[in-house]
Amino acid sequence: MAHKIIKSLFLLLVLLNLVSNCAHAAPQVPCFFIFGDSLADNGNNNNLVTAAKANYRPYGIDFPDGTTGRFTNGRTTVDMIGELLGFNQSIPPFATARGRDILIGVNYASGAAGIRDESGRQLVPNNFLW
């Protein structure tokens, strides 16, 4: 029994060491492009005509930059993956990416996005023409 506990603790320490080394390493890839929905959106919907927005409190209360348009109170999984890949900053949203920012990648994710034509239509005003 004690042998299994020691073995499990050893494996946990090895995994923690690997993860901590990855988070502080040089970038593992040259750029990072993201496609998705609200789980990965980091501000693309802020200036769109839609109710699918997250650029107000309480969204972002635990994020260093405050409310950015992420559909969470802190970082998204995409932010964490970017950190593990070695990026020093978050990948910018397509809506605000300019100039050399694009060279590290772009986040194209948009809340209420979907593969079907009717995805997100209930979040757009009735007088908006498609």
Side-chain angles (χ1 to χ4, degrees), residues 3-129:
H3 178 68
K4 288 183 180 182
I5 293 173
I6 292 171
K7 187 176 179 180
S8 297
L9 287 174
F10 177 75
L11 288 174
L12 179 63
L13 288 173
V14 169
L15 286 174
L16 287 174
N17 188 32
L18 289 174
V19 171
S20 66
N21 288 338
C22 290
H24 303 291
Q28 303 295 306
V29 293
C31 54
F32 186 23
F33 292 93
I34 299 132
F35 300 90
D37 57 8
S38 61
L39 297 175
D41 189 350
N42 64 348
N44 282 312
N45 283 11
N46 292 349
N47 297 320
L48 295 180
V49 181
T50 179
K53 294 184 184 195
N55 57 345
Y56 54 89
R57 291 178 83 61
Y59 297 110
I61 59 174
D62 293 329
F63 192 73
D65 297 337
T67 55
T68 59
R70 286 168 171 78
F71 287 79
T72 179
N73 66 329
R75 298 183 308 156
T76 63
T77 54
V78 170
D79 293 325
M80 293 176 210
I81 291 170
E83 182 182 340
L84 289 173
L85 287 173
F87 290 99
N88 294 329
Q89 61 190 31
S90 296
I91 303 302
F94 171 74
T96 61
R98 300 289 181 263
R100 298 192 62 80
D101 288 345
I102 296 171
L103 296 178
I104 65 164
V106 178
N107 186 331
Y108 292 100
S110 179
I115 196 167
R116 298 179 53 101
D117 287 340
E118 60 270 10
S119 294
R121 284 203 181 188
Q122 72 278 13
L123 300 171
V124 178
N126 289 336
N127 59 355
F128 186 78
L129 299 175

